[in-house]
Amino acid sequence: MAFYNRIGSLMRQSISQTTVSNGNAKGPSMFNAFRCMSSKLFVGGLSYQTDDHSLKEAFSGFGDVVEARVITDRESGRSRGFGFVNYTSDDSAKEAMTAMDGQELNGRSIRVSLATERAPRTGGFSGGGGGYGNDRY
């Protein structure tokens, strides 16, 4: 998250230092690519029949959808019941969140909120074993 905030502040600094002629700003065109990072929605409560295409179709009425992705189980390939929708603008994301939260999609009431950065995983395998199979030591 700090990385994205830093990139955003660098881009804003760069934009503020751009020259404007004839109403058109001349500056880094990468700014628009980075903006989509802050307009990501979490969509929960999805039906198992909802796929990437139908998710994008449901949310495209609120603005330009960069990506719509239903998260699937690694083993079975079946939907895990949630997904993410990325917009090109924050305004489109906010409008979609307000309009779609609590609405029905493919027979299920969905929850829509701004996506948050996933907390880093800690731990993992700690060894231990609890004494099983360690009789030889």
Side-chain angles (χ1 to χ4, degrees), residues 54-102:
S54 61
L55 184 63
K56 184 174 184 172
E57 194 173 279
F59 281 82
S60 63
F62 302 99
D64 188 24
V65 175
V66 175
E67 179 185 28
R69 182 150 185 226
V70 175
I71 305 304
T72 56
D73 181 69
R74 207 177 301 178
E75 301 289 324
S76 67
R78 183 176 151 186
S79 170
R80 293 187 60 197
F82 67 94
F84 297 95
V85 178
N86 290 337
Y87 283 94
T88 55
S89 75
D90 295 338
D91 293 335
S92 296
K94 288 176 186 172
E95 183 182 345
M97 180 177 65
T98 303
M100 293 296 288
D101 188 36

Side-chain angles (χ1 to χ4, degrees), residues 6-127:
R6 181 70 181 141
I7 293 293
S9 69
L10 289 173
M11 295 303 291
R12 281 188 292 278
Q13 282 178 348
S14 178
I15 294 260
S16 67
Q17 297 170 359
T18 60
T19 59
V20 177
S21 64
N22 299 332
N24 296 326
K26 293 182 180 178
S29 60
M30 290 190 326
F31 182 68
N32 288 333
F34 283 104
R35 282 189 53 148
C36 70
M37 291 180 192
S38 63
S39 55
K40 187 174 191 177
L41 298 178
F42 168 83
V43 184
L46 293 175
S47 162
Y48 292 125
Q49 288 75 35
T50 303
D51 61 2
D52 294 351
H53 177 71
S54 61
L55 184 63
K56 184 174 184 172
E57 194 173 279
F59 281 82
S60 63
F62 302 99
D64 188 24
V65 175
V66 175
E67 179 185 28
R69 182 150 185 226
V70 175
I71 305 304
T72 56
D73 181 69
R74 207 177 301 178
E75 301 289 324
S76 67
R78 183 176 151 186
S79 170
R80 293 187 60 197
F82 67 94
F84 297 95
V85 178
N86 290 337
Y87 283 94
T88 55
S89 75
D90 295 338
D91 293 335
S92 296
K94 288 176 186 172
E95 183 182 345
M97 180 177 65
T98 303
M100 293 296 288
D101 188 36
Q103 297 299 312
E104 191 172 298
L105 179 63
N106 293 336
R108 299 272 317 253
S109 177
I110 59 172
R111 296 176 316 277
V112 183
S113 61
L114 289 175
T116 56
E117 191 72 23
R118 187 162 129 178
R121 293 183 181 197
T122 59
F125 294 107
S126 61

